């Protein structure tokens, strides 16, 4: 498996009570996006937990 990185971008559009983000899993050798997903949460802690959950779900699939 090629090395990969996870990048989370906080979208400019934010509502008062939610943080809207885009998550990208990138193949570092081929410089291509392997997976992308948008999500909304309420706290920074929930962002980290959601990213970890998606990362493990992605690893199970490959």
């Amino acid at each position: 498996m090629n090395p990969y990185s996870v990048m989370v971008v906080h979208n400019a559009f934010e509502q008062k009570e939610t943080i809207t983000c885009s998550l990208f899993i990138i193949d570092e050798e081929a410089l291509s996006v392997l997976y992308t997903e948008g999500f909304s949460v309420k706290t920074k802690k929930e962002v980290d937990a959601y990213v970890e959950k998606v990362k493990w779900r992605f690893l199970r699939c490959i």
Side-chain angles (χ1 to χ4, degrees), residues 4-22:
Y4 72 93
S5 61
V6 176
M7 181 173 56
V8 177
V9 178
H10 293 252
N11 297 340
F13 175 74
E14 294 196 15
Q15 298 174 345
K16 291 181 181 178
E17 298 177 4
T18 61
I19 302 168
T20 305
C21 301
S22 298

Side-chain angles (χ1 to χ4, degrees), residues 42-57:
K42 294 187 183 288
T43 67
K44 172 69 172 121
K45 190 174 182 178
E46 289 176 343
V47 170
D48 296 338
Y50 191 89
V51 168
E52 204 54 36
K53 183 172 74 172
V54 170
K55 191 164 49 172
W56 282 108
R57 186 174 64 209

